[in-house]
Amino acid sequence: MAVLLSTKAAAVGDWEAALTALDPALVLHRHPFAGDPSEIEAVVMWTGHDLADLRRYPNLRLVVSMGAGVDHLLKPPGPPPGVPVARLVDTRLTQAMSEWVLLNVLRFHRQDPEYRAQQAARIWHELPAPDTARRRIGILGLGALGADAARKLVALGFPVSGWSRRPKAIEGVATYAGQDLAIMLRQTDILVCLLPLTPATAGLINKDLLWSLPRGAYLLNAARGAHMSAPCVLRALDRGQLAGAALDVFDPEPLPADSPFWTHPKVVLTPHAASVTIPSSVAPQVIENLRRARSGESLLNLVDPATGY
Ligand code: NDP
Ligand code: OXD
């Protein structure tokens, strides 16, 4: 039996090395696979894989996302019925995302765009000192990534609140669930989106949400581009409702060359690089899930198709 790897050509070698370092007997194939489809028992995949292809493998018992997100795997037609999907939860993935969040919270909190503009114009002028204790951070999504970012922001002294689907308790964080989002938004100076993309969260960052924030708030989105309405974000930036945005994700990706986000003076962007999976770090959970799938045990980081994450 074999595992099919499906990702960018530049990354597939690292996946092969990481998995065979742990299990030298593991048989790996690269997508597209021209051999006997009945050989494939698991597919470990990233975006760009035609989901109809998964139906070619009669002995498929596991599909693993190469990232934390699984929206690429659950969109129609989805995985074959009855085949479980696992995602990645990994300390290095989480750490890297928190770094991206802290970088951009501090960028806006410490008035870095304003100071860079002053430097370019050779202006020696001290702006009003930022007050960490008064800069309220609101995090959409308190899962593996959101909860870690929240804890690190609390450690820096920011007032932090967060929103999840179900009620949650995180020390030092004011938590909101479900319909209470509006309360959190009114008290958020920097909004950070770390939600999974699901039917319930797609398009959440729209006109209503953006104009519920205090005027001059900032937006950080490292979740998925389809969480936000690009025209609404651009309008909020142009009208001063948003003072700035740090964006790592877009819909579509790559961001088209004529997108206004590229040159918007209030936008800093990165090319979906906030947190990139390190195959050697996640290989143990993939190997363990393969073992569990073979023995019929419950999987690590199993995705619930009903909620979409
Ligand atoms: P988790 O599944 O661990 O956490 C998801 C969080 O979102 C949970 O707190 C969940 O609530 C909450 N949530 C889900 N649906 C809703 C809803 N309808 N209303 C309110 N809250 C909701 O995911 P991760 O933290 O691991 O990852 C989050 C996302 O980050 C990924 O899905 C991916 O899209 C993105 N990502 C981006 C990367 C990048 O480089 N840009 C890298 C890695 C991930 P509850 O706790 O109640 O379940
Ligand atoms: C992920 C991502 O979901 O890289 O892990 O976006």
Side-chain angles (χ1 to χ4, degrees):
M1 297 305 280
V3 174
L4 183 67
L5 297 176
S6 175
T7 185
K8 294 181 283 217
V12 73
D14 288 346
W15 278 93
E16 287 166 342
L19 293 171
T20 49
L22 294 179
D23 181 356
L26 193 64
V27 180
L28 296 172
H29 293 299
R30 294 183 180 190
H31 178 72
F33 175 57
D36 176 4
S38 67
E39 220 193 295
I40 302 298
E41 63 173 336
V43 177
V44 182
M45 58 182 275
W46 192 226
T47 55
H49 190 116
D50 176 7
L51 295 178
D53 175 73
L54 298 178
R55 283 159 174 74
R56 287 182 55 224
Y57 311 114
N59 295 318
L60 190 65
R61 54 171 120 226
L62 173 66
V63 178
V64 181
S65 170
M66 287 182 174
V70 289
D71 45 292
H72 63 105
L73 254 161
L74 298 184
K75 65 184 181 205
V83 176
V85 172
R87 68 187 198 97
L88 299 178
V89 177
D90 175 64
T91 49
R92 293 178 74 183
L93 194 70
T94 302
Q95 167 71 15
M97 181 57 83
S98 289
E99 287 169 6
W100 185 91
V101 171
L102 295 185
L103 170 72
N104 288 296
V105 163
L106 291 174
R107 179 198 307 283
F108 292 132
H109 172 61
R110 296 303 309 241
Q111 302 144 310
D112 196 55
E114 292 81 357
Y115 278 123
R116 297 288 68 79
Q118 288 189 188
Q119 182 180 353
R122 297 170 189 250
I123 294 171
W124 183 271
H125 169 66
E126 190 182 317
L127 296 168
D131 184 351
T132 309
R134 293 168 68 91
R135 184 84 70 181
R136 301 160 300 178
I137 319 290
I139 303 183
L140 300 173
L142 289 173
L145 304 183
D148 188 72
R151 288 192 190 95
K152 287 178 171 139
L153 289 161
V154 167
L156 286 180
F158 290 102
V160 179
S161 41
W163 180 65
S164 53
R165 190 167 61 85
R166 297 160 294 185
K168 274 230 141 103
I170 302 176
E171 199 180 336
V173 178
T175 53
Y176 299 87
Q179 298 306 315
D180 289 344
L181 175 61
I183 304 170
M184 183 180 97
L185 294 175
R186 284 200 292 274
Q187 308 165 32
T188 292
D189 302 311
I190 301 182
L191 183 70
V192 182
C193 181
L194 290 173
L195 288 166
L197 183 65
T198 71
T201 64
L204 182 77
I205 304 174
N206 58 14
K207 182 178 168 208
D208 285 352
L209 180 145
L210 292 166
W211 292 83
S212 304
L213 297 166
R215 189 166 174 78
Y218 296 90
L219 170 68
L220 274 53
N221 186 13
R224 288 291 181 262
H227 281 123
M228 58 184 195
S229 153
C232 293
V233 170
L234 288 163
R235 211 168 300 124
L237 287 163
D238 291 339
R239 296 191 179 168
Q241 173 60 16
L242 285 178
L247 306 174
D248 184 60
V249 286
F250 299 90
D251 183 23
E253 292 180 1
L255 183 63
D258 62 354
S259 166
F261 283 123
W262 284 111
T263 49
H264 200 289
K266 292 181 175 175
V267 172
V268 285
L269 66 83
T270 39
H272 200 140
S275 180
V276 177
T277 302
I278 300 169
S280 59
S281 185
V282 301
Q285 66 184 278
V286 176
I287 297 287
E288 172 61 11
N289 263 343
L290 197 52
R291 188 194 68 72
R292 290 178 180 226
R294 284 173 181 155
S295 64
E297 291 170 55
S298 58
L299 298 181
L300 303 173
N301 309 319
L302 182 65
V303 170
D304 177 0
T307 56
Y309 70 99

